[in-house]
Amino acid sequence: MKSELKNLLAVGMFCLLALLGTGCGQEKAPKLVMVTNAAFPPFEYVEGKKIDGIDPAIIRLIAENLGFELEIQDMNFESLIAAVQSGKADIAAAGITVTEERKKQVLFSMPYVVTKQVIIVKKDSPISNSADLKNKRIGVQHGTTGDMYVTKNIQEPERYANGPLAVAALCAGKLDAAVIDGEPAEVFVAQRPILKILPEPLTAEEYAFAIGKHNPELYSKVNSELAKLKNSGQLDEIIAHYRQTHSQNAAQTQALDKGGLWEQLRSSFEINFVKDQRYLYLWRGFIVTLKVTFLALIMGIVIGFTVAVIRSAADQTGKLKLLNLFCRIYLTVIRGTPVVVQLLIIYFVIFGAVDVDKVVVAVIAFGINSGAYVAEIIRSGIMSIDRGQMEAGRSLGLSYAQTMRCVILPQAFKNVLPALGNEFIVLLKETSVSGFIALQDLTKGGDIIRSQTYDAFLPLIAVALIYLAVVMLLSTLLNGLEKRLKKNE
Ligand code: GLN
C-alpha cells in the first residue's frame, strides 16, 4: 500500500508538470488573438476542428497582411468585449453590432456589414409583428442587441447561450418567437422549414471589429487594412462566398421536419451524428472530458492528501498552525463557491492576461476544487482510525510521519474508498461545465452538434448516455478495487 501511494503521488506530479509544460515555452511571435462566438453562421461557425466564416476569413487576411500569426478562440458572446478590454484577446470579430454602450468600452473598426434584428416564428404562428410579441415567450442570445432590444422595448426575454439554441427551443415548442440577427436567422430558417422570418425588422445595425482601447496602434492598422480590402473588392468577395456556401448547405437539415415519427428519428440520427462526421464532436469531446477528469483527479488526490495530513497533524499535535489556517481558508473558499465560478475566475482573472491551454485551466480548476472534497474525505478517514493505533506506532519507535504513512493512511484510504469513488464520479460529471470557457468537452461537443442541426433531442440523449456508460464502468471498477482491498486485509 505504501509504495502504491508513493507511485500514485509520483505519477500525479509527473502528469501535472508535463501538462503545465505544454502551456509554456514555444513562444512564436507576433501573435494576433481573435475571439469570437462560433455559432453565428455565416459569420462564424465550427466546421470540423476549425472555426470558419466571414469574420475569421477577413481577420485571417488582415493578420496575414500585417504579418501576424492568427489564433482564433471561441467563447460566449457576452464575454467578447471583456476579453479585448482586459487584453486577453487582441480583437473580437463576431458580427458585433456597434452600439453607444459598447463604444465606451472598446474601439470599433469601420463597419463592414449592414444588418438588422428580425423575429423568427413557426410558420403556423399567430404572431405577425412586434406588437404581437407582448407576453409571449421570446428567446434571444444572451448579451446581444436582440437581447437589449427585447428587454428595453418588450419584456424580459429568455436568454440562450447562442442563437441556434434559441432556435432549437423554438422548434421544440419551448418558445413562441426568437429575436436574432437577420443573416444567421436566414441560415437557421433555410434549414428548418417549419420556421419563418417576419418581414418587419426590429432594428438597423452595423457590424464592426472590436479592439481594446489600450491598443490604438492595432486599431489603426486593422482599419487601414480593412479599408484596403473594401476598396479592392476582396471584402465583398469573402462575404458573398460564405453567404453562398450557406445557402447551398441549407437543404441538409430540412429532413428533420418531414415524415412520420420513426422516419424523423432515423433522419435525426443521420443528421446529428453521421452527416459531416458529426459524431467526431462527441468523440473528441469525450477524449477531452476523460483527459480533464483524469488529470484533475490526480491533482485533487495530491492536494487532498496533503491538506488532510496537515489538518489531522495540526489537530493531533498542535503544530503546523499557519499551514492549518491556510488549508482551512482553502477549504472554506473552495467549498463555499460554485465550481463554474471558480473555473471562470481561474480562466478570466488568474490567467487573464496569459495564454494558457484551456485543458490546463480546466485541470487546475477542477483539481483544486476536487482537492477540497478529497481532503475532507481523507481527513474523515484518518479520524476514523482509532487513536490507539497512533500511540502503538509511536511506542514502537516510529516517528509521527512514519506512523501516519505506514499505519494510519493505508487504513484510512480503505475506509474512505467508497466516498472517494463517489467524488470521482461527481468530478467526471462536473467537468461538463468546461464549455463555459469554450473548452470542447463532451457536453460542448453535443452543444456544437445542436448549434449546427438546431435539434436538441438526440445530441443531448447521446451525451447523457456516454456519461452514464463511463460512470457505470467507473463504479464497477471501484467495486472491484474495494473487494480486492477487503480480501487483502
Ligand atoms: N449583432 C448582435 C450583437 O452584436 C449579435 C452578434 C452575435 O450573436 N454574434 O449583439
Side-chain angles (χ1 to χ4, degrees), residues 37 39-40 44 77 80 94-99 102 115 117 141 143-146 148 163 180-181 184 205 207:
N37 174 239
F40 198 69
E44 40 268 327
F77 184 79
L80 294 173
I96 303 176
T97 302
V98 182
T99 69
R102 290 173 181 165
T115 183
Q117 293 295 314
Q141 179 184 353
T144 61
T145 40
M148 292 167 207
I180 26 191
D181 295 47
E205 310 184 347
Y207 292 160

Side-chain angles (χ1 to χ4, degrees), residues 150-320:
V150 175
T151 309
K152 188 157 171 254
N153 300 295
I154 307 174
Q155 67 203 28
E156 275 292 304
E158 294 184 23
R159 299 184 174 90
Y160 290 81
N162 57 49
L165 292 182
V167 172
L170 178 62
C171 292
K174 300 273 165 238
L175 291 173
D176 300 308
V179 171
I180 26 191
D181 295 47
E183 288 200 49
E186 268 167 42
V187 174
F188 302 152
V189 169
Q191 299 190 7
R192 296 301 299 261
I194 46 164
L195 302 176
K196 67 176 179 190
I197 297 176
L198 296 183
E200 164 207 8
L202 293 174
T203 60
E205 310 184 347
E206 280 179 331
Y207 292 160
F209 303 124
I211 294 166
K213 290 210 165 164
H214 57 278
N215 209 348
E217 212 178 294
L218 179 69
Y219 166 76
S220 51
K221 280 187 192 162
V222 166
N223 246 346
S224 70
E225 286 304 318
L226 191 56
K228 279 188 216 158
L229 295 183
K230 235 179 195 171
N231 295 336
S232 69
Q234 269 174 296
L235 187 71
D236 289 337
E237 262 171 45
I238 292 176
I239 295 176
H241 166 77
Y242 283 95
R243 280 181 181 153
Q244 201 191 347
T245 321
H246 268 272
S247 56
Q248 280 165 359
N249 286 347
Q252 65 174 338
T253 57
Q254 290 191 0
L256 280 175
D257 297 331
K258 290 183 196 135
L261 186 66
W262 183 241
E263 185 51 31
Q264 277 191 6
L265 206 60
R266 207 195 56 77
S267 55
S268 173
F269 185 86
E270 166 89 25
I271 286 161
N272 283 304
F273 305 128
V274 184
K275 175 115 189 39
D276 296 335
Q277 296 186 311
R278 294 211 165 100
Y279 67 88
L280 281 179
Y281 292 114
L282 294 182
W283 171 246
R284 284 192 220 114
F286 177 61
I287 300 293
V288 171
T289 292
L290 285 189
K291 206 158 127 187
V292 171
T293 308
F294 178 70
L295 293 172
L297 184 89
I298 290 170
M299 187 169 166
I301 293 177
V302 174
I303 296 178
F305 257 96
T306 316
V307 172
V309 169
I310 292 174
R311 298 254 296 127
S312 319
D315 279 354
Q316 290 168 352
T317 64
K319 290 183 196 150
L320 304 173

